[in-house]
Structure formats: structure tokens, C-alpha cells
Amino acid sequence: MVDRSFADLSLAALYDSLNPWGPGDDFYLGRVMSAPTVLDVGCGTGRLLAAARRTGHPGQLTGLDPAAAMLVQARRREPGVEWVLGDLHSRTWYGEFDLVTMTGHAFQTLVGDEELRTGLRAVRTALADDGRFVFETRNPAARAWESWTPDRVHEAADENGSVAWMWREVVGPVGGDRVTFTETYEGVRWDHPQVSTTTLRFLDTPDLEKFLAEAGLVIEEQYGDWGRGPVTSGSPELVTVARSAP
């Protein structure tokens, strides 16, 4: 099921304001521009592929997302990209892409073991022989969820300038590698707060290696931040570049 923050048009319209373009987007854009064919899984509002097209990428750019409300934003932004409604369980490609990406921590929404295995097998199937799979997941050692508290309020606005406020709150004690939290939105467009509940999975490098290996993928590069620094206990990210196993 798609989280409400992505499925609701009024909430999806706030995504880019809450998540402005940053170093991670620059990192991915560089990879996209060097790949002839690209599949962006969980493409959201489509800003990565739209930026690539506007920067002059001449090849096949395909964005895949299960949230129709997010694809509304993507199609408005750039009609010159193929936007596909669905996910790695419902759509299949065979060796068509030199690069598959999952940005915006979309990888963490693959919560169950079988869901993750199925998704990674689909990625492997979609990759060309010398293709790469690039994604990031929050480093569990950095415990990012500890900062998801109601006192940290984020202000956002949609394309019409309508302002809203959002805060996160973890639901219950954190156990294992899964964290469930709410996002609460308030603004003049609603007569009561809008609440979306999300569960994310935080995998460390050994577990990532295990799941990737099961799908026929192997880690080629891994960084702890968008500046390509090494992975340490304090690194915020696990930025991973994987390729087909020999």
C-alpha cells in the first residue's frame, strides 16, 4: 500500500519543498548523465530524470512509481520522460537498462524479506550485462530516527504558495531493523491535521551484501556520504553501487 504522504495529491505537492535538491541529487545526476538508459525506481515527482533530460540526456529515461499522485507532479514537470505507474512487483524489464537507481531512501520501503528479494531480482533482471544499480539507505548506526520528534517542524509550500507544516514521530519502541513513524501535516488547506504512517527498514552493510548476493548482485562501491567518504559508525548514509555478480 502506498503511504498517504505520496498517494494524496495535496501532500505529494509538498514533497519537493520538504526535500529540496541537494548533494545526493547531484551525485545521482552525474551517474544518470553517464548512462545511456536509466530506470529510476520510486521516481516520485520525477525531478532527477527531468533534470537529466533538461541537461541534455538523449537516451531512454524511465521513471517507475506506485503513487499516481507523485506521477502527476512528474508528468507536469517533464513530458519527455516515460513515467510508469507500478512497482518492481508489477512491472518487468529484461536487460534494458545500463543504470537502475533508487533515490530518496526509496530502498528502505522494501520492508519484508520476500518483498526485498523480489525487488532486487527485478532490478537484476532489468540491468544490462554491464549495468549498475545505485541506491542509498540510511546507516542504521547513525540512528536517524532519534531526530524524528514533534519539536522538529518543517515548513513547506506547494507550487501555488500554500504553506504547510510537517513533523515526524516514531511509533512505539524501535526493535530490530524496522522503524514505524508518522508524518503529521497542518495547513490552511485542511480543516484538521493529515497523518501518514510509514515503516522503513534499516539494513547494515552485511545484510545488504547478503540480500544483493541472493539476487546475483555484488557491491562495487560504497560510501558513507554524498562526498564519497568512507563508511563509519557516524556516516549518515550507505550509498551503494552494485553490479551483476561474476
Side-chain angles (χ1 to χ4, degrees):
M1 181 180 295
V2 177
D3 294 337
R4 186 178 182 190
S5 58
F6 305 135
D8 185 303
L9 280 169
S10 65
L11 300 182
L14 299 170
Y15 181 86
D16 286 340
S17 180
L18 287 168
N19 302 276
W21 187 278
D25 301 283
D26 291 330
F27 177 91
Y28 280 109
L29 183 59
R31 303 290 306 210
V32 170
M33 293 305 295
S34 64
T37 57
V38 181
L39 172 64
D40 186 17
V41 178
C43 64
T45 62
R47 67 185 183 190
L48 174 62
L49 297 187
R53 184 65 84 210
R54 293 171 184 173
T55 305
H57 192 291
Q60 179 183 355
L61 298 175
T62 300
L64 175 70
D65 202 282
M70 297 293 269
L71 290 184
V72 167
Q73 312 297 318
R75 292 184 176 115
R76 287 174 179 168
R77 170 175 272 139
E78 178 52 68
V81 170
E82 180 187 18
W83 305 112
V84 179
L85 180 64
D87 57 27
L88 289 170
H89 300 81
S90 62
R91 301 302 297 259
T92 304
W93 289 271
Y94 298 94
E96 296 179 33
F97 297 101
D98 300 290
L99 175 67
V100 175
T101 60
M102 291 187 77
T103 70
H105 303 108
F107 182 85
Q108 291 186 255
T109 66
L110 301 174
V111 175
D113 284 0
E114 285 310 307
E115 180 183 23
L116 184 54
R117 289 186 178 108
T118 300
L120 289 175
R121 285 195 298 267
V123 167
R124 173 63 187 87
T125 300
L127 282 174
D129 289 342
D130 196 36
R132 297 294 186 272
F133 174 39
V134 185
F135 65 96
E136 92 282 352
T137 180
R138 296 177 182 87
N139 183 3
R143 303 178 68 83
W145 60 85
E146 292 182 348
S147 67
W148 298 346
T149 54
D151 59 300
R152 301 193 179 204
V153 179
H154 305 270
E155 183 176 301
D158 63 18
E159 60 184 7
N160 298 315
S162 180
V163 177
W165 295 267
M166 183 277 288
W167 62 91
R168 299 184 178 96
E169 186 170 8
V170 175
V171 178
V174 175
D177 56 18
R178 295 167 176 82
V179 177
T180 299
F181 62 98
T182 58
E183 289 184 338
T184 301
Y185 296 80
E186 285 189 349
V188 296
R189 73 194 73 193
W190 308 294
D191 56 11
H192 60 276
Q194 307 296 299
V195 180
S196 175
T197 301
T198 301
T199 299
L200 298 179
R201 190 167 188 179
F202 289 73
L203 294 175
D204 57 19
T205 296
D207 283 334
L208 285 174
E209 289 178 334
K210 181 189 72 172
F211 280 109
L212 288 166
E214 289 180 9
L217 296 163
V218 62
I219 294 177
E220 183 176 67
E221 307 168 43
Q222 192 171 66
Y223 309 109
D225 55 49
W226 298 114
R228 294 177 171 82
V231 175
T232 68
S233 60
S235 299
E237 307 285 352
L238 298 176
V239 183
T240 303
V241 180
R243 58 175 173 77
S244 299

